[in-house]
């Protein structure tokens, strides 16, 4: 990423409390798309789209920016180069231009609100109260098993790149177990979708946090995730 320089002199900050009390309080890491520049030790992030022009100033150590830019085609036919940005939700943050705090979370809205396509594949996971659930992707609907005490991200996107967030076999050092056909959905917590017993009876209880798919469902889902994939997760706890 080539960071442009931008001055923030004279622009008024806003309260960090507004940032923390967002509607996405269950999410620990935010993912969105926008223009990224710098004023030195901080990144200046302008999410796209925003209802009003808004720039957010965040310490660089709290932000991860994808190395691969997105060439996004806008409704008027023009192309704009943007970056996918990952931010710790509890990072100190200042809004330095007029706008609504919710503008910061614009890229967490459904794809239809963007005006351009970011995710080409769509999948949904719906859990019941006992952590047993259903994964729906393409024309497939299969059973899965999670953990009822886990606050999963409700809307996330994986890149679907083998060796980056897809692994034919991942070894968990925490539990000393192999996890075949693993798709990483929450790197900070080590949460994957992978092969394993997909029900409480066969698993001897809930999972340890990952989402289990029985064979051959895990391999089929792994092979289906061939690029940027949006995964929405809902649960009643």
């Amino acid at each position: 990423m080539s960071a442009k320089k931008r001055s923030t002199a004279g622009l008024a900050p806003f309260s960090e409390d507004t940032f923390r009390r967002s509607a996405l309080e269950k999410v620990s890491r935010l993912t969105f798309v926008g223009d990224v520049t710098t004023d030195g030790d901080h990144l200046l992030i302008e999410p796209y789209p925003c209802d009003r022009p808004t720039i957010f100033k965040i310490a660089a150590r709290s932000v991860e920016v994808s190395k691969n830019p997105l060439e996004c085609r806008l409704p008027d036919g023009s192309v704009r180069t943007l970056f996918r940005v990952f931010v710790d939700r509890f990072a100190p943050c200042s809004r330095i231009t007029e706008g609504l705090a919710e503008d910061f979370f614009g890229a967490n809205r459904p794809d239809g609100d963007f005006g351009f396509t970011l995710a080409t594949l769509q999948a949904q996971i719906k859990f019941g109260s006992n952590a047993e659930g259903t994964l729906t992707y393409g024309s497939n609907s299969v059973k899965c098993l999670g953990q009822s005490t886990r606050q999963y991200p409700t809307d996330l996107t994986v890149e679907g790149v083998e060796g980056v967030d897809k692994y034919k076999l991942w070894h968990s050092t925490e539990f000393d177990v192999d996890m075949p056909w693993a798709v990483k959905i929450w790197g900070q917590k080590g949460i994957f979708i992978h092969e394993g017993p997909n029900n409480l009876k066969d698993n001897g209880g809930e999972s340890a946090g990952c989402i289990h798919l029985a064979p051959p469902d895990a391999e089929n889902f792994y092979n289906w995730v061939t690029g940027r994939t949006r995964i929405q997760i809902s649960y009643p706890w």
Side-chain angles (χ1 to χ4, degrees):
M1 181 190 72
S2 57
K4 297 173 288 183
K5 284 277 188 177
R6 182 184 294 178
S7 173
T8 60
L11 296 174
F14 80 117
S15 169
E16 184 183 339
D17 292 339
T18 305
F19 180 59
R20 292 177 182 239
R21 289 200 298 259
S22 76
L24 301 177
E25 60 184 2
K26 292 183 178 180
V27 180
S28 63
R29 194 184 196 210
L30 303 171
T31 303
F32 61 97
V33 169
D35 183 49
V36 182
T37 56
T38 182
D39 70 349
D41 294 332
H42 297 79
L43 293 182
L44 308 178
I45 303 167
E46 183 177 0
Y48 183 86
C50 279
D51 295 332
R52 304 178 188 181
T54 307
I55 298 172
F56 293 87
K57 179 178 179 180
I58 306 175
R61 64 179 180 275
S62 300
V63 183
E64 179 184 346
V65 181
S66 172
K67 296 180 180 178
N68 300 316
L70 302 170
E71 297 295 332
C72 300
R73 186 170 297 278
L74 307 185
D76 62 4
S78 62
V79 175
R80 183 173 177 180
T81 300
L82 302 171
F83 290 88
R84 188 174 298 278
V85 183
F86 309 94
V87 179
D88 179 350
R89 185 172 68 84
F90 295 100
C93 171
S94 296
R95 187 178 66 218
I96 56 177
T97 56
E98 182 181 1
L100 300 173
E102 287 76 12
D103 284 345
F104 183 79
F105 308 105
N108 290 281
R109 294 180 295 184
D111 288 342
D113 291 337
F114 279 98
F116 56 85
T117 300
L118 294 177
T120 58
L121 299 173
Q122 306 282 329
Q124 293 83 37
I125 296 174
K126 294 184 178 181
F127 285 114
S129 59
N130 64 352
E132 292 184 348
T134 302
L135 165 65
T136 302
Y137 65 98
S139 60
N140 304 290
S141 185
V142 299
K143 293 181 179 180
C144 61
L145 178 68
Q147 183 184 46
S148 63
T149 57
R150 180 71 60 176
Q151 299 295 312
Y152 295 101
T154 57
D155 197 337
L156 58 97
T157 301
V158 299
E159 296 302 315
V161 178
E162 193 161 344
V164 175
D165 54 14
K166 284 179 59 177
Y167 307 88
K168 292 181 179 178
L169 183 65
W170 177 270
H171 182 78
S172 170
T173 56
E174 180 180 1
F175 297 100
D176 193 25
V177 295
D178 289 333
M179 296 156 43
W181 309 113
V183 178
K184 184 190 297 182
I185 61 171
W186 195 3
Q188 288 180 321
K189 298 293 184 179
I191 302 298
F192 293 76
I193 298 173
H194 66 87
E195 182 180 299
N198 67 355
N199 60 78
L200 292 168
K201 180 180 178 182
D202 291 344
N203 198 57
E206 298 178 0
S207 82
C210 288
I211 298 173
H212 293 180
L213 300 176
D217 296 334
E219 182 178 358
N220 291 339
F221 178 70
Y222 180 95
N223 291 330
W224 178 81
V225 178
T226 53
R228 188 172 294 113
T229 305
R230 182 186 184 196
I231 304 173
Q232 294 174 287
I233 305 175
S234 61
Y235 42 89
W237 53 83

